[in-house]
Amino acid sequence: MRVVAKGQAERSLIWATLDYTRFNLGVIALGAVFLVGAEQGADVVRGLATGDPVHQALFFLAVFAWGWQSWFWARFMLQDRLTELELALDREKEACANRDPCRAPRTASAGAVRFVRWYPRALGLLAMALATVALVASYGVLDRFVGINLATIALYAALVIFRRRIRRRFSGSAVLSGAQISAGWIAWIAEPLFRLRPAWRGDTDMPTLAPYTILAGVAVMAATSAWALADPVGYGFAVGSAAVVFIGLASILPAGSLAIWATRERGRPVLSAIVASAVLFSFVNANNQVRAIDGPAAAKPDAWESLDAMLARHGACTEPVPVVAVATAGGGVRAAYWTATVLSGIEDEVRGKLGDGRSFSDHLFAVSGVSGGSVGAAFYVTALRDVGAATSNTETLQQALSADFLGPTLTGLLYHDLWQTFLPWPLLTDRGAILERAFEASWAARWPGGDGLAAGLAAFTGFETPRGGWIPRLLLNGTNTVTGQRMVASTVALRDARGDRPQQVIVDALDQHAYLSDDPDGRRPDMRLSTAAHNSARFPVISPGGLWPRGRSMVVDGGYFENFGAETLLDLLRYLQIRSRSDPLRCPIRPIVVQISSDPEIGNALTGGRIDPAVDRGGPGSRLWNVVGGPAGGILKARSSRGTLAANALRRWPQSLGPDKASMTDPLWVHFRMPPGSEIDRTARCPGAEAIDPPLGWVLSRQSAEAIRGMLACARGNRDAMDRLLEAMLPATVMPDGEPAPATVMN
């Protein structure tokens, strides 16, 4: 690097410095997005207070390592510039010393030396300060976690900013002497670096700091990489999502910095070679295939056969049989937790009150889910199969869904997928499959006695669990990236195969099982329940699209098509309604449609009342934003509006029965909604209902989990929905007033 002329120094110094440390800045920006810019990151930080002490300690150590590596490798990148600026300053001082009287020249050299020397230190401070900002936002200024992080910043400042003063103060002490001796026997580790940075040999501190920094960095990177590559689920759960992020960021700083340095300083196209190899290998190293089970998929019963089998379990029908159908919306792990809480909560309310040993699940015909709602439904049905409904599964389900699923997912992103980018063939598991294995491991940790979510969908196509209970039909909705159609993983046939022309039960939907094999005439393999649930919950960045062996299409989050699960359930109900006109039902039924939503901002969209259009009072905005952002915003809003439209059509379905009400009497629609924190009843009987809107993501803090648990009992709308549901399901003899349940007026 050359020293520019005085007139250009001030103008070019900042830009040249930023250019050389752009990788460091990019890594810090990624950490800032996680800590400050994302609701999920804020909830991870919030959860430290009630989390595992090991996770707490690892978080602070990881943030310190992130800040330290940011400083060290920025200093490495700028060492040539600092050396030349210091030489220029020495020449100016020498020239000044030969003049009498001497006025110290006001050149850019002195300020430039200070800037280049302090800039790397500031980068390390910035990284650690971001953690402080996130902690203050979550806990307040006086919290102990803020104090711990400030202590780590003080340690950083002592070792980096004031290291020369400390060295002079404790010169000759046993500690520094031991550091010098121990640094000597590991000096061979830093020797390659000293060859790249000869100026560090004469530095008073870098010969000591560099070996330890490199040794610690290499040891941490090797140990974490080996563990993460061998057992990503165990690593993610053990370390925690917060520490996974910053250990990963600290580990990639050396490689990225050296690649940029070799490209800029040595004229070797290292960076170009890395980018080119990643692009070329991407055509042959795809590792995001949908997981399949070798065994063949079981034949799926059709919807009418399934309903008839369910009604047969109720024996002689003296009264209409309540038949419940559920549509549950997406929303990451908050939707999964909320769905499982609602379904198991209803189970707890009716247990022992239905007679003949029946439970709520014996009346639950089908669940249509999207994204996180599908995950919650999968966990709930797994509990019915492995545990049964004789006792409460609520706590078991909530514990299983309280796991830090983000930790294994980020492990897959920062280790498996990052390494796979530079390999010419698919060797490593992608982060989507790792998330599925995390689902399986979390359930197995709470209930190791069954197959859990690792069981294939064939295990759920039967009509009875091993304990004799009914298995609800599952319809888990994804989206095809080529056609835009729904792709449904189901335990019920999507077509009515009677006659010469099969009738579509779920209109214009694709069966995921048909895409698991590239041989359309051969045996079709099965997929695990965890895979089926995840195929519905592949939302952007967190999970890659699932690549099918048949063709080149992928499955992505079902919310791309419609986020409530309502359209699929509506298709199913309409089919049963039409079929009942030609094939009488075994028993008259009382249809009960349950909509579960997890968006606190849904407002009055599903109440049937007037919805005032939003008015933007800020003006039309910039022309550039209108051109660039308008179409993208319109697409997102249209997707949301389509989901609301489908959910309202499902809400109005009972009113459309007309003459079919003879066999489908007194239909009911109820809505269990995740309300905003401001609508929670804050009384002594609702201690867990905090003013927290749980974030969208794959990990919940304990505070968010407690808030969700309180929403079922502590939100007036949900209490009313539960009361109406119990009135429809329970016989009059067990109702509090002993009166028959009245026909429900649709709202």
Side-chain angles (χ1 to χ4, degrees), residues 311 317-323 585-590 662-665:
L311 295 178
C317 307
T318 57
E319 298 290 339
V321 177
V323 174
L585 290 166
R586 178 185 294 267
C587 307
I589 66 173
R590 182 175 189 183
S663 58
M664 298 183 175
T665 62

Side-chain angles (χ1 to χ4, degrees), residues 233 237 379 403-405 408 433-443:
V233 175
F237 282 157
F379 272 81
D404 184 356
F405 297 118
I434 291 171
L435 177 58
E436 295 167 15
R437 288 161 53 187
F439 292 155
E440 298 166 11
S442 181
W443 175 255

Side-chain angles (χ1 to χ4, degrees), residues 131-434:
T132 303
V133 172
L135 290 167
V136 169
S138 296
Y139 303 114
V141 177
L142 301 180
D143 188 81
R144 63 187 177 95
F145 287 119
V146 177
I148 293 173
N149 199 65
L150 291 176
T152 62
I153 292 177
L155 177 62
Y156 167 85
L159 294 175
V160 174
I161 301 176
F162 304 111
R163 65 183 189 276
R164 288 184 173 86
R165 297 182 185 179
I166 294 174
R167 187 180 185 86
R168 289 195 297 268
R169 172 67 178 82
F170 296 99
S171 178
S173 68
V175 173
L176 290 183
S177 298
Q180 291 173 341
I181 294 171
S182 59
W185 68 265
I186 62 171
W188 60 271
I189 296 174
E191 183 59 28
L193 197 66
F194 288 149
R195 292 178 182 177
L196 302 179
R197 288 287 177 258
W200 282 4
R201 295 183 188 275
D203 191 281
T204 56
D205 303 289
M206 295 312 293
T208 301
L209 289 177
Y212 281 113
T213 299
I214 297 170
L215 177 63
V218 169
V220 170
M221 183 171 63
T224 57
S225 296
W227 187 3
L229 292 173
D231 183 13
V233 175
Y235 176 81
F237 282 157
V239 175
S241 55
V244 166
V245 171
F246 298 109
I247 292 174
L249 294 179
S251 297
I252 65 176
L253 270 168
S257 299
L258 287 171
I260 293 175
W261 179 87
T263 301
R264 295 294 301 269
E265 290 293 326
R266 295 300 175 92
R268 296 170 182 169
V270 175
L271 197 59
S272 299
I274 291 174
V275 174
S277 65
V279 173
L280 290 175
F281 293 159
S282 68
F283 291 97
V284 294
N285 68 352
N287 67 332
N288 58 321
Q289 291 85 358
V290 175
R291 292 197 305 164
I293 300 175
D294 292 336
K300 300 178 185 179
D302 66 37
W304 188 259
E305 178 188 358
S306 299
L307 179 59
D308 187 69
M310 176 182 173
L311 295 178
R313 293 170 52 83
H314 291 268
C317 307
T318 57
E319 298 290 339
V321 177
V323 174
V324 182
V326 175
T328 178
V333 74
R334 77 181 182 193
Y337 195 98
W338 177 233
T339 298
T341 297
V342 170
L343 294 178
S344 59
I346 298 172
E347 190 85 64
D348 293 342
E349 287 287 341
V350 303
R351 181 173 292 105
K353 301 176 183 178
L354 290 172
D356 298 329
R358 295 195 302 273
S359 64
F360 166 71
S361 59
D362 289 313
H363 293 266
L364 178 57
F365 173 61
V367 181
S368 171
V370 172
S371 194
S374 293
V375 176
F379 272 81
Y380 172 75
V381 174
T382 297
L384 294 179
R385 182 176 181 271
D386 287 357
V387 186
T391 58
S392 176
N393 294 323
T394 301
E395 186 175 353
T396 302
L397 285 167
Q398 290 174 341
Q399 288 177 353
L401 286 166
S402 295
D404 184 356
F405 297 118
L406 186 62
T409 306
L410 291 174
T411 301
L413 175 65
L414 293 171
Y415 293 92
H416 282 239
D417 287 342
L418 184 60
W419 282 99
Q420 182 61 63
T421 303
F422 307 107
L423 297 176
W425 51 84
L427 286 179
L428 301 175
T429 307
D430 79 302
R431 62 188 182 277
I434 291 171

